[in-house]
Structure formats: C-alpha cells, structure tokens
Amino acid sequence: MVAIVMNIPGRRFLTLALLSMAAFSPGSALGQAPQAPQPSPETKEVKAPSETRPPKDLFDEADSYQKKKFEEFNKQKLPYDQELESKTKQEQQRLAAKNAADLQTRKSLAGGDVYYVGMLNHIAGNADEALEAMRRYLSSGPVGGNAQQARSVVVLYARRKDLIPEAERAVEAYAQNQPQILAEWFGMETLITQALQKAKDYDHMSTHAQGMLKVAKLAASDKKTNAFRRDDMLFKATSLIVDADTHLNKKDAAIETVVELRKMALSLPSGNLLRLANTSLVSLDHSIDPRELFYSSEPGAAVKLPDIVAAQWIDQAPVKLSELRGQVVLLDFWAPWCGPCRYTFPKLQQWHESYKDKGLVILGLTNYFGNANGRKLTHDEEIAYLRSFKKTNRLPYGFAVADSEVNDLNYGVFSIPMSFLIDRSGKVRFIAMGASEKEIAGLGKMLQTVLAEPYSAGTEMKTAGVAAKD
C-alpha cells in the first residue's frame, strides 16, 4: 500500500536563504542579482530625478519601482504578461543605474550615503560597483541593519569573484552584529559552502556547512518559522555536511549527522523531515533499516508539542496534549477519501480495544474537505457524514476535525496516513508513514514498548475527557 501525498499550501514558499529558488525582491542582498539591462529603443525612458534629492529617496524610488508598477497593473486588471514583467524589471534596473550614477557624481557623500550607492548598483546588476561601494561603506565601521545588509551584498559578490576569505570575514562580522535575519545569514553561509564544494575544499566546506546547521537550528527554535522552510534549511545543511564527510572518507560521521537529524525530526516533530533524513540515511548505507533506529535510540528530552487545533470534536471532549501527560497518545492523520488510511483501521481498532485500559488514547485527525463521494457538503453535513463513516467503519476512538491545514503543518504531514506515537512523558517516539505491513508492524512493536515503560510524575494520570463511543 502507498501513502497519499497531500497538497499542502504551506509547502510553497519563497525564501531568501534557499538560493536555488527564484523570485527575490531586488532589495534583498541574497536574491539572484539582476543582470545589467541592455538598451532597448522600445522601452520608455524613466524620467531623471532631481539631483538634490537625498540618497535614501533615490534608493527608495528604485527599490519600490517594480512593486508600484505591479500595483498599477493590478488596478488596471491587466492579465499576467511575461514580457511586461521583464520590461518593468528592466525599467527598474535602468532607474537604479541612473540614480546610482547621479549619486556618484556628487562631490561629497556622507559615509551612510555610500550604502545607497551600493544598493542601487546591486539592483542595477552592477556587481563591481556594488561590491566596491559596500567595501567603502563598511570601512567606516557602521552598525545596524544597513551594515548587516551591506555584508550580505559583499558575500554575494565576493563569492562570485572567488574572494572566499573576504566573504568569510563578512559573514563572521554578520554573526557578531545585530540585527540578524536568519534566512539572510543562512543564505550567506550557503553561498560560501557551495563555493568551497565547487573548489573541492571539503575540510573548509564542512566548517561552513556546520555554520549553516547552526543557523538552521536557530530558525527551528523560532516558532514563527514556516515548518517546511525550517525542514528544508535543516536538511540542506545536513546534506552538505554529509557530502563533505563522504569526500573526506568519514562515513561514520556522516551517518551520525543524519541520525541526529532524525532525532530532531522526532523532537520538532516533523514527518517531512524524518522522510528526508531516512532517504539520506539509506543512501549512505543500504543495510540500515531506519525503523530499527526507533528502538535502539534513546528518547530525547520532552518538549512542548503543538496542540491539536480542531473546529469540531467527534466522540471526544476537546483536549490538549499536556492534559494527556501520563497516557500514551497515538495521533493518526487520515481522511475519509484516503484508501491506504482504511487499510490501517483494523489495527487501530485492535489497539484501542487491547490497550485503552492500559492508558492508550487514539485521536483521529482530519480536516474539512467540503465534499464526500462526489457531493459538496456544508460543515454540518460533513460532520454528519463523518459520524456515519465512523459508525460504519466501527472506529471506536475520537476524531478532531480542523478547518485548515494547521495540524498538518505543525507536524510536517506531507502524506497520509501518518501516525505519531507519543509516550507518557510527552515525547514522540515513532512516526509511521504510509500503510505498508512493515510500517504498521513497526508502529505496533513500538506501541507495546512504550506502554510497558514505567512512568512516574508524582500525580495521578489524567483522563482524556469524554470517552470515545464503542
């Protein structure tokens, strides 16, 4: 049986840090640097600004040009036109180049004004001029957000020129100053790591890949970070560490790095990150069965898991995971239209009947989908359908129904069925992905292990609220 891949909107995102993606704001230092525009007689010339305007105003004009033009196009309800988009970008580049040239002709510029010369040249795609301006600006010892942005520009263009030591000094200074934008910092470390990878300097590459992982962990600790962006950062950093270790004939170290990533996937928790880690692990050693690591690894420290968000509970009183501490909890992500999910129902029924008196609580997590069996449904109709589905399939445990993908995002659920086994201390001990016989058997084995473990919290076990109907 195979898992059903879910289309989760939260997976589609843009990030300043992951340089393999396109569509960056021109003002972002680590976005793809634009190419210098070529003259075109068909393109309307941008009116030259007054020579007396402050440097910041000239920068803001160029930086916001594209956004304002697109807002105008939207008001005019113009359909998307790739040629119009390209033309608008070229106009922005020419405006930035013109404003930069204007500033450079002025007899005297304050130290801070040189920053805007650098940023205008960055937007215009003038790499040499941008790098030189940022060097001048940083030589005056500035602090704050502009200084940090300038360091990002230096890393971008120094890396292009293979001036790796200069790029390293810039990222080191970034790490020692504030404010820090983690995506920007991660991007700088990534640029240097990839340059060293290309140069086959694997010792040096490993150092900066570790720097990437450090920043990725900082991002992971920030609850505001998009879950799938977080996973991509962690996996990208780990993959580059593994690549360096592999070339340095440090296979054991590479495997240990991926094993640590698996532990992180459990603690976050994230089924998506676990999938990525398992794939990497098997590629390093085909003899490894990732499931076996669940039994041999020591569980990590308990962390506060994301609470279940539900618009409606069926045969289950609303409950927080913290209220279930002392019980073994199995979160089963499923949907009524999912064929493989139904394949797991008999085992879930059996486990509920066999272990409910030993402290097992199963919660079936699903979403409103607005339809069933080819018919559109209101929320009330869908709840009625789920109650009937539950009774027909003899599912004795409670359901939590969400009106968004928030639970999927919080737990890194990229496909269903997917189950998270949480021990009495609140630690995720197993993540089952799919409905294969091996996956179900592995989950059952760990379930017995966790149920048999002693637990002492100094207080009586709390109940799960209203008992699920048999």
Side-chain angles (χ1 to χ4, degrees), residues 268-426:
L268 285 170
S270 172
N272 175 59
L273 187 59
L274 182 66
R275 172 184 62 89
L276 295 170
N278 285 346
T279 301
S280 179
L281 194 60
V282 172
S283 70
L284 285 169
D285 189 337
H286 296 295
S287 68
I288 294 178
D289 181 355
R291 296 181 193 88
E292 292 299 319
L293 295 178
F294 286 118
Y295 317 122
S296 60
S297 301
E298 287 292 325
V303 297
K304 187 180 185 305
L305 297 175
D307 269 319
I308 303 306
V309 178
Q312 181 73 43
W313 297 80
I314 300 177
D315 294 341
Q316 169 66 53
V319 64
K320 294 183 177 180
L321 291 178
S322 58
E323 296 171 348
L324 297 176
R325 190 65 62 88
Q327 303 202 57
V328 174
V329 180
L330 182 60
L331 303 179
D332 181 56
F333 287 80
W334 72 287
W337 46 260
C338 166
C341 297
R342 300 186 185 212
Y343 189 77
T344 67
F345 289 168
K347 276 297 181 183
L348 293 171
Q349 293 165 344
Q350 178 188 331
W351 291 337
H352 173 82
E353 296 299 335
S354 299
Y355 303 127
K356 62 182 179 181
D357 294 333
K358 295 182 179 180
L360 175 64
V361 176
I362 300 177
L363 296 175
L365 308 185
T366 189
N367 300 330
Y368 284 116
F369 294 101
N371 60 80
N373 300 327
R375 184 169 65 91
K376 290 186 177 181
L377 301 176
T378 66
H379 278 10
D380 288 343
E381 290 172 335
E382 193 162 358
I383 289 298
Y385 168 78
L386 287 171
R387 289 186 184 279
S388 176
F389 182 97
K390 188 175 186 294
K391 183 177 180 180
T392 301
N393 288 277
R394 299 178 181 179
L395 300 177
Y397 48 86
F399 289 177
V401 186
D403 57 6
S404 72
E405 290 86 6
V406 61
N407 293 321
D408 305 309
L409 292 172
N410 285 343
Y411 283 80
V413 175
F414 63 92
S415 67
I416 52 175
M418 186 176 294
S419 299
F420 294 75
L421 180 61
I422 305 169
D423 68 15
R424 301 183 195 274
S425 299

Side-chain angles (χ1 to χ4, degrees), residues 201-204 206 242-251:
D201 184 352
Y202 298 114
D203 277 315
H204 213 178
S206 179
V242 167
D243 183 66
D245 284 343
T246 300
H247 281 93
L248 294 170
N249 295 317
K250 296 179 179 180
K251 182 178 178 180

Side-chain angles (χ1 to χ4, degrees), residues 139-169:
S139 68
S140 63
V143 296
N146 287 356
Q148 294 288 72
Q149 183 84 338
R151 293 181 179 106
S152 297
V153 173
V154 169
V155 170
L156 177 64
Y157 294 118
R159 184 260 191 185
R160 283 192 179 186
K161 293 176 172 291
D162 289 326
L163 301 174
I164 302 303
E166 182 175 6
E168 288 178 314
R169 289 192 297 272

Side-chain angles (χ1 to χ4, degrees), residues 81-101:
D81 185 324
Q82 189 173 5
E83 290 187 4
L84 180 61
E85 179 183 27
S86 177
K87 178 182 176 182
T88 303
K89 289 180 180 179
Q90 289 178 2
E91 289 175 355
Q92 180 187 40
Q93 288 179 287
R94 272 190 287 277
L95 175 60
K98 189 173 185 63
N99 287 357

Side-chain angles (χ1 to χ4, degrees), residues 123-191:
I123 296 174
N126 299 330
D128 291 343
E129 291 84 350
L131 179 58
E132 181 57 34
M134 291 313 190
R135 285 170 174 166
R136 288 172 53 204
Y137 170 64
L138 290 171
S139 68
S140 63
V143 296
N146 287 356
Q148 294 288 72
Q149 183 84 338
R151 293 181 179 106
S152 297
V153 173
V154 169
V155 170
L156 177 64
Y157 294 118
R159 184 260 191 185
R160 283 192 179 186
K161 293 176 172 291
D162 289 326
L163 301 174
I164 302 303
E166 182 175 6
E168 288 178 314
R169 289 192 297 272
V171 76
E172 183 179 356
Y174 191 97
Q176 295 173 353
N177 287 276
Q178 294 291 337
Q180 293 170 349
I181 300 173
L182 295 180
E184 199 84 18
W185 187 2
F186 183 85
M188 288 188 281
E189 287 285 13
T190 301
L191 282 172

